[in-house]
Amino acid sequence: MLNKKVIAGLLCCLPAAANANNFSYNFFEVFTAMNPSMTGVELATQVGENVHLVGRLSSQFESDFGVAGGIGFNGPINQFMDVYGQLLIHHNNFPKEDNVSSVTQAEMNIGLRVWLMNQLEATARLGKNDESSVFHAGVRFHSTDQLSLSAEARNNGFYGPK
């Protein structure tokens, strides 16, 4: 049987970064979109080393709203890149002129987050909800640990092109 000191010594030789995420999955985000015009909030909180919860609320301020919630996964690929994804349930109430009152759909997506430079991150995510594709890509500048600014293109499958 191996000695406890030998086991401890072997464990110390393992790279610690192999199990650590390269990005924070604890965030609160305020976003606005230009076409179609929409505003919303999203938050996530890490509940395990590779698991996080996600919630999102958005509206076009035309007697409509969209709410989504679910679970996400995340993990490192290498020291500069994480893979992540989400399983979400969406419920959307649409404006009256859309001739659809509401819809509830599931979404599954997967993506990558990559450090381009010290404070600059690129992100991309692809997925599908019940009826259409989901796409997200952009860059994020982390000015401090508490504030990041991003420019992104998103299609959540409800308001954008199908």
Side-chain angles (χ1 to χ4, degrees):
M1 182 166 195
L2 289 175
N3 184 334
K4 289 181 183 179
K5 289 182 182 178
V6 173
I7 293 172
L10 290 173
L11 289 175
C12 289
C13 294
L14 293 175
N19 295 323
N21 294 309
N22 298 302
F23 299 90
S24 175
Y25 293 90
N26 293 314
F27 64 84
F28 175 76
E29 175 179 285
V30 177
F31 59 87
T32 186
M34 292 184 278
N35 190 14
S37 175
M38 176 179 23
T39 300
V41 295
E42 183 173 347
L43 63 97
T45 184
Q46 196 141 359
V47 294
E49 187 174 335
N50 300 106
V51 178
H52 57 277
L53 299 177
V54 181
R56 185 180 312 140
L57 178 64
S58 59
S59 179
Q60 293 178 309
F61 298 109
E62 297 175 1
S63 300
D64 71 310
F65 70 88
V67 62
I71 192 164
F73 66 89
N74 48 274
I77 293 177
N78 61 35
Q79 65 183 1
F80 301 110
M81 185 182 311
D82 278 7
V83 63
Y84 74 109
Q86 301 167 335
L87 300 170
L88 302 171
I89 299 294
H90 288 269
H91 178 79
N92 283 48
N93 281 357
F94 295 101
K96 292 177 184 171
E97 53 272 1
D98 286 359
N99 297 323
V100 178
S101 61
S102 67
V103 65
T104 301
Q105 295 182 350
E107 174 188 332
M108 184 174 90
N109 62 59
I110 189 166
L112 294 174
R113 295 176 75 177
V114 179
W115 285 113
L116 300 176
M117 295 187 318
N118 189 28
Q119 295 174 289
L120 190 62
E121 163 193 351
T123 182
R125 186 169 66 213
L126 296 171
K128 181 145 177 62
N129 64 28
D130 289 349
E131 296 181 5
S132 57
S133 63
V134 175
F135 171 78
H136 165 207
V139 293
R140 183 171 291 133
F141 174 69
H142 298 270
S143 60
T144 69
D145 288 342
Q146 289 78 33
L147 180 63
S148 298
L149 302 172
S150 66
E152 300 171 332
R154 292 187 180 201
N155 175 10
N156 67 2
F158 293 102
Y159 299 114
K162 295 186 177 197

